[in-house]
Structures are given as C-alpha cells and as structure tokens.
Amino acid sequence: MSAQSQQNNNFALSVLTTLFFMMGFITCMNDILIPHLKEIFKLSYTQAMLVQFCFFTAYAVMSIPMGKLVEKVGYKNGVMGGFLIAAVGCLLFYPAAGSHSYPIFLGALFILASGIVLLQVAGNPYVTLLAKPGKESATLTLIQAFNSLATMIAPPLGAMLIFVDATASEAERISSVQIPYLGLAGFLILLAVVVKMIHLPDARKIAEEETEHNHDGKTSVWQYKHMVLGAAAIFCYVGAEVAIGSLMINVLEVAAGLNHTTGAFYLSVYWGGAMVGRFIGSAMMNKIAPNKYLAFNAVATITLTIVAILAGGGFITMWSLLLIGFFNSIMFPTIFSLATKGLGKFTGAASGIICTAIVGGAIVPVVQGFFADHIGLLVSFFVPTLCYLYILFFATKGYKADEQTA
C-alpha cells in the first residue's frame, strides 16, 4: 500500500469515527428508555426488555439484506443510507409519543435500528479493509473506542433530557422523549450530507485484491468456519453486554439502593470502562496477539459475573458488574476482525451474517429478564456468564478453525 493511499485511508478512518460514535449513542439511549417506559406503562422486566428485543431483532431481519445492498451500492453509500434510515426512526418517536402507545414506540425503534444495522454492516468491514495489513483488530478497536465514548455520554445526557420529576403526569413523561430524538434525527441527516460531500476510498477494490492473493478456492462465505463461529461469538458478546447494561439501573436500585438518575450516572461508568479499555486495547494489541487478549478479557468477565452473583448485592456486586464494561471493551472489534480475516470479496457478505448475530442483543436480555422475574435479579446473571464462556472458546480454538482443517 502506497504512502498516499494509506494517508487517504487514514482520513477515511477518521471520518468513520463519527459513525461509530452515533451508533453507540443511539444504542445506549435504550438503557434510559427501558426504566423510563417500564415505569410509565407499568411493565414487567420481560415486557420492558422488548425495547431491546425490537431494536436488536432488526439485526436478525435486516443484516443480510443490508449486506447485499452494500455489495451493490458500496460502503460509502451504505453509510449514508444508514444515517438517513436511522433519522427516519428518530423522527417517528414524535408521533409515537403522541399516540401514548408502547407498541408504536417499539415500531419506531425497529426502523431506527434498521438504520443502525446498515451502519454496522457497512462500517465495520470498511474499517478492516482500510486498516494496515495485520493491524485490523487494533484499528477497529481504536475507532470503536469512540463508540464507547458515546455510550459513556449517553446515560447521563439521556437521563437529563428524558427523566422527568416524579410528580409529572403520564403524558408529560411520554412526551419527554420527543425533543431529544428530533435533535438526533437532525444530526443524523447532517452527517449523511457531510459523508456525501467528502471523498472516501472504494473498499470493494481492496477486497477484490485480497481475494486474488488468497487463492483458497472457496466459493461461499459459509465455507469459512471461523466466520460462522465468530458470528456465534458476536451473538454471545452483544447479548451479554446489552443484558447487563439494560438491567444495570435496576440492579443498582435493588442491590445498592440508588435511584434511577444516580443509577444512570453509574451506568456511564460501565460504558466508560469500555471506552478506556478500547483505547488501551488498541495499543496492547500491537504487542499481544488479539486472540490472547480476547481470551484474557473473557476470563475476567466470567470471574466478575460469578463474583457479582455470589456477593448477593451491595458494593461488591455493584462494582463487579460495572467493571465488566472495561473487559467487554475489545470484544466486538476483535471478534469481528478475527472472524472476517482473509475473506476478501466475501467480507461484505460476512459482515451481513455477523451483524445478523447482533440479534443476541434482542434474545439474551429477554432470556435474562425471564429468569430475573422467576428466580431473582442477581441470579439471572448466570445467563451472560454462559455467553462469556463461549467467547473464551472462540478466542482459544474457534478463531483458527479453518487453519486446523486446512
């Protein structure tokens, strides 16, 4: 890769940091919506988790079609389309709030999530294809640190904008989401216009060149076992991270006696730990093999969830769960880059498949919500523990499945 080409790629990568920031901000706002809507509509934990179910079900329904769309229109147009679809979803929050209907809220969330899906499908492989060879995990981790910066900012800002006084009427509480999401819509439209106006490299050409160099004889993306196992790891990672974040405010209320506003502040610690961990991880993976770093972090998360359960509440439970955010940090970008390594022209299709697995964020929280309703809130954290055990398997064995069978 020439110096001029790499310089152009570095500019494109810097632009893509905004994409990851917005994906993190919008996704993490769900953690504020859940306790807010749970209280307004008098929902059970399982019903409240339908916020995450509708949001992340979009990944199951839309990821593969979005992957095919990106292959046709290119990564840049995919990014623009993602911003615009997400903007439409944000705009629909206004009539949803006016209707005072929980199901209509869920429908608007699905459309919003569809835009985020397109951003994920286009953005992640775009980064790995533009990164220097051998630095894919470190580059994606660094850029996704800005995703984590957004998730740290979103809880306190969202709480300030959405949470209202306890004496407010139900209508006032529901309408409190309208203005914040209108603002998000305007900003997303502005980003789509900015991306349209700037020049970004054509990553499809890079992918085709990589395929010519591989000569592995594979004719389908499904023939790559490490990609399939990586998709399952993404399912487990997103499911565990979202489930923990979604129940964090409720855990802090039950186990530590904190109110929702204070809990939202501590939730920012959880997501802030992911930001710090990604900045550190992007540097560490220049010295440590990405799979080994992933395995270490998986062991740490397994240990912390078990400690949180056994502690039974209080200070130890609270900080054990909050610290998981730090060790979650590098999981998504590392799993994604390991799962798409060497796929060449199949990278776009693989991204669609892997992003489909983000549906773990819809399924795992609802499963944990079910167990929280029936066996207890803290004990239900055995669900993310199982997810992290699978990630440990992928980090030690699954990522090299194709090497073992070659």
Side-chain angles (χ1 to χ4, degrees):
M1 186 179 295
S2 68
Q4 181 64 39
S5 175
Q6 187 57 52
Q7 185 176 4
N8 291 338
N9 287 359
N10 288 340
F11 172 73
L13 291 170
S14 66
V15 171
L16 290 173
T17 58
T18 306
L19 179 159
F20 285 93
F21 181 91
M22 290 307 300
M23 287 195 297
F25 189 92
I26 291 171
T27 302
C28 197
M29 284 290 284
N30 290 348
D31 295 338
I32 301 302
L33 283 175
I34 287 171
H36 186 63
L37 298 179
K38 182 179 185 295
E39 185 175 332
I40 292 170
F41 294 107
K42 311 302 182 200
L43 306 172
S44 68
Y45 284 117
T46 305
Q47 290 171 325
M49 285 301 191
L50 289 176
V51 168
Q52 300 292 27
F53 181 81
C54 285
F55 191 89
F56 286 95
T57 293
Y59 283 94
V61 176
M62 302 301 296
S63 289
I64 292 178
M66 292 301 190
K68 293 180 179 178
L69 177 65
V70 169
E71 287 184 335
K72 290 183 178 180
V73 304
Y75 292 93
K76 176 180 175 177
N77 289 330
V79 169
M80 290 167 51
F83 281 136
L84 292 175
I85 294 171
V88 171
C90 288
L91 289 172
L92 289 175
F93 266 64
Y94 199 92
S99 71
H100 294 198
S101 170
Y102 186 50
I104 295 178
F105 262 111
L106 297 179
L109 271 169
F110 182 87
I111 294 172
L112 170 58
S114 297
I116 301 299
V117 169
L118 183 50
L119 289 174
Q120 287 274 17
V121 171
N124 287 297
Y126 206 172
V127 171
T128 58
L129 289 169
L130 295 179
K132 291 181 180 179
K135 301 295 182 182
E136 295 88 353
S137 292
T139 303
L140 187 56
T141 298
L142 176 60
I143 289 180
Q144 286 212 350
F146 292 90
N147 177 285
S148 298
L149 173 62
T151 60
M152 184 183 71
I153 293 171
L157 182 58
M160 181 179 68
L161 295 172
I162 292 176
F163 289 160
V164 294
D165 189 84
T167 60
S169 67
E170 179 179 310
E172 290 174 328
R173 293 180 183 183
I174 295 176
S175 64
S176 65
V177 304
Q178 290 178 314
I179 300 303
Y181 277 87
L182 282 178
L184 280 174
F187 190 62
L188 288 166
I189 293 170
L190 177 62
L191 287 174
V193 172
V194 171
V195 171
K196 173 65 175 177
M197 294 174 63
I198 62 177
H199 172 72
L200 295 176
D202 185 358
R204 286 182 295 181
K205 292 182 180 179
I206 300 173
E208 289 169 1
E209 290 173 2
E210 185 178 84
T211 299
E212 291 175 3
H213 284 89
N214 286 344
H215 299 297
D216 56 17
K218 289 184 170 63
T219 56
S220 168
V221 67
W222 293 103
Q223 292 177 297
Y224 294 91
K225 293 181 180 179
H226 73 287
M227 186 282 297
V228 176
L229 295 174
I234 290 291
F235 177 97
C236 290
Y237 158 71
V238 177
E241 182 181 54
V242 172
I244 293 171
S246 299
L247 289 173
M248 185 69 74
I249 291 177
N250 296 108
V251 170
L252 296 179
E253 179 183 18
V254 173
L258 303 180
N259 61 35
H260 285 179
T261 302
T262 307
F265 169 78
Y266 279 101
L267 180 60
S268 69
V269 175
Y270 173 73
W271 295 112
M275 178 191 69
V276 174
R278 282 176 174 170
F279 280 119
I280 294 174
S282 66
M284 294 295 292
M285 280 188 284
N286 288 317
K287 300 178 181 179
I288 302 173
N291 68 292
K292 292 181 180 179
Y293 201 69
L294 177 63
F296 174 82
N297 282 25
V299 170
T301 54
I302 292 165
T303 303
L304 287 168
T305 52
I306 292 173
V307 168
I309 294 169
L310 296 179
F315 180 85
I316 295 177
T317 292
M318 170 180 164
W319 284 103
S320 293
L321 293 177
L322 290 173
L323 283 172
I324 289 173
F326 177 84
F327 294 101
N328 277 337
S329 58
I330 56 91
M331 288 188 177
F332 186 98
T334 306
I335 293 169
F336 187 94
S337 57
L338 290 173
T340 57
K341 189 172 180 63
L343 298 190
K345 68 179 181 181
F346 297 112
T347 302
S351 180
I353 295 167
I354 292 171
C355 286
T356 301
I358 294 177
V359 73
I363 296 173
V364 175
V366 174
V367 172
Q368 187 172 354
F370 173 84
F371 284 109
D373 285 329
H374 290 84
I375 65 175
L377 185 56
L378 286 179
V379 180
S380 71
F381 279 84
F382 82 89
V383 175
T385 305
L386 295 177
C387 292
Y388 290 128
L389 282 169
Y390 178 82
I391 293 170
L392 179 60
F393 157 75
F394 178 75
T396 54
K397 299 288 185 181
Y399 82 97
K400 56 181 179 180
D402 288 291
E403 295 177 16
Q404 295 170 346
T405 57

